[in-house]
């Protein structure tokens, strides 16, 4: 009986990952948690071409500068984070790539347990192989929390700057990207001190990465499906 249940669950998750290559996730556990804990659920899914390349470049610059080059994991950053966390166990530092964050936010729940981290490794590997970089970025920018109860680039752009995500400027994109480490705490509008200090750094990083051909392939317009 247990083997049958395990087989059904394994086949089900595999099929779901394949479906999500073309279909946006109907809802995620993180979004449900936000709704049920009183933070709300504000979101609007849009096509990849309807999100400004500025925001795609901003999140790469802020969250995962090796996104175009790695296979889902930044092993050097993981080693550094593990060493840091061993020295300072009360100040945990993460090293999640955009691929890992996407796997966690779409297919799993928030947390740091060994079981969840193990599943995150598996799902990160799967979406890298099945979806590819552009689709990972597409889903990431549609499901990630970008404010308290605000999910996805389109809703964030509308709420913060009263414009569609495709029209975000570099400055606006950098401000949104700056909130991602803790979107419930770091307010984009009005900007907290952290946002005000962080977004100019992200803009400089954007300038440094702007000419990278591999990154341009990911962020420029064209279907990701």
């Amino acid at each position: 009986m247990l083997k049958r249940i395990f087989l059904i669950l394994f086949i089900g998750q595999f099929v779901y990952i394949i479906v999500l290559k073309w279909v946006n996730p109907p809802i995620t556990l993180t979004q449900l948690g936000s709704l049920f804990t009183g933070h709300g659920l504000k979101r609007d899914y849009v096509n990849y071409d309807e999100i400004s390349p500025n925001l795609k470049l901003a999140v790469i610059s802020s969250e995962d500068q090796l996104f175009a080059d790695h296979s889902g994991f930044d092993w050097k950053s993981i080693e550094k984070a593990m060493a840091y966390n061993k020295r300072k166990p009360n100040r945990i530092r993460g090293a999640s790539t955009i691929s890992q964050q996407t796997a966690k936010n779409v297919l799993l729940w928030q947390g740091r347990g060994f079981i969840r981290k193990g599943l995150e490794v598996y799902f990160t590997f799967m979406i890298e192989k099945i979806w590819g970089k552009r689709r990972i970025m597409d889903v990431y920018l549609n499901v990630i929390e970008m404010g308290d109860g605000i999910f996805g680039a389109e809703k964030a752009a509308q709420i913060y700057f009263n414009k569609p995500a495709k029209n975000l400027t570099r400055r606006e994109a950098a401000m949104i990207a700056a909130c991602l480490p803790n979107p419930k705490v770091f307010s984009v509008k009005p900007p907290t001190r952290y946002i005000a200090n962080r977004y100019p750094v992200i803009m400089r990083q954007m300038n440094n990465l702007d000419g990278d051909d591999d990154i341009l392939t990911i962020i420029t317009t064209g279907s990701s499906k």
Side-chain angles (χ1 to χ4, degrees), residues 62-67 70 72-85 93-97 100:
S62 174
E63 297 292 295
D64 185 3
Q65 295 187 20
L66 296 179
F67 177 65
H70 63 60
F73 307 94
D74 183 350
W75 297 112
K76 288 185 178 180
S77 293
I78 290 173
E79 289 175 2
K80 290 179 181 179
M82 290 176 65
Y84 178 90
N85 295 339
R93 174 186 292 176
S96 293
T97 62
Q100 288 175 270

Side-chain angles (χ1 to χ4, degrees), residues 71-151:
S71 58
F73 307 94
D74 183 350
W75 297 112
K76 288 185 178 180
S77 293
I78 290 173
E79 289 175 2
K80 290 179 181 179
M82 290 176 65
Y84 178 90
N85 295 339
K86 188 175 181 179
R87 294 194 309 270
K88 300 182 178 181
N90 295 325
R91 298 178 63 184
I92 301 297
R93 174 186 292 176
S96 293
T97 62
I98 286 174
S99 302
Q100 288 175 270
Q101 293 180 47
T102 304
K104 176 182 69 176
N105 280 279
V106 174
L107 300 162
L108 295 167
W109 61 94
Q110 303 297 319
R112 294 184 177 274
F114 287 111
I115 293 177
R116 196 203 64 78
K117 291 300 291 185
L119 289 172
E120 180 184 304
V121 170
Y122 167 76
F123 284 123
T124 299
F125 174 82
M126 293 296 287
I127 65 175
E128 278 277 342
K129 293 298 183 183
I130 295 174
W131 294 3
K133 295 293 186 181
R134 286 170 63 85
R135 180 56 179 163
I136 289 172
M137 178 63 70
D138 183 357
V139 175
Y140 176 81
L141 289 175
N142 272 300
V143 305
I144 199 76
E145 189 169 18
M146 295 179 168
D148 192 9
I150 302 169
F151 292 86

Side-chain angles (χ1 to χ4, degrees), residues 25 35 49 71 101 107 113-114 150 155 160 169 173 185 205:
L35 182 62
D49 290 352
S71 58
Q101 293 180 47
L107 300 162
F114 287 111
I150 302 169
K155 184 57 71 173
Y160 295 138
T169 66
V185 174
Q205 293 168 334

Side-chain angles (χ1 to χ4, degrees), residues 128-196:
E128 278 277 342
K129 293 298 183 183
I130 295 174
W131 294 3
K133 295 293 186 181
R134 286 170 63 85
R135 180 56 179 163
I136 289 172
M137 178 63 70
D138 183 357
V139 175
Y140 176 81
L141 289 175
N142 272 300
V143 305
I144 199 76
E145 189 169 18
M146 295 179 168
D148 192 9
I150 302 169
F151 292 86
E154 181 67 16
K155 184 57 71 173
Q158 294 286 357
I159 289 176
Y160 295 138
F161 303 111
N162 195 32
K163 63 171 61 174
K166 65 182 179 181
N167 292 338
L168 287 170
T169 66
R170 285 203 166 204
R171 175 180 176 275
E172 293 162 347
M175 291 180 71
I176 292 175
C179 85
L180 295 181
N182 198 336
K184 281 184 165 56
V185 174
F186 301 143
S187 171
V188 175
K189 192 175 183 180
T192 59
R193 179 178 297 179
Y194 174 86
I195 297 292

Side-chain angles (χ1 to χ4, degrees), residues 47-67:
N47 293 329
Y48 195 61
D49 290 352
E50 297 178 78
I51 300 174
S52 170
N54 289 327
L55 185 58
K56 299 166 190 174
L57 181 59
V59 298
I60 290 174
S61 301
S62 174
E63 297 292 295
D64 185 3
Q65 295 187 20
L66 296 179
F67 177 65

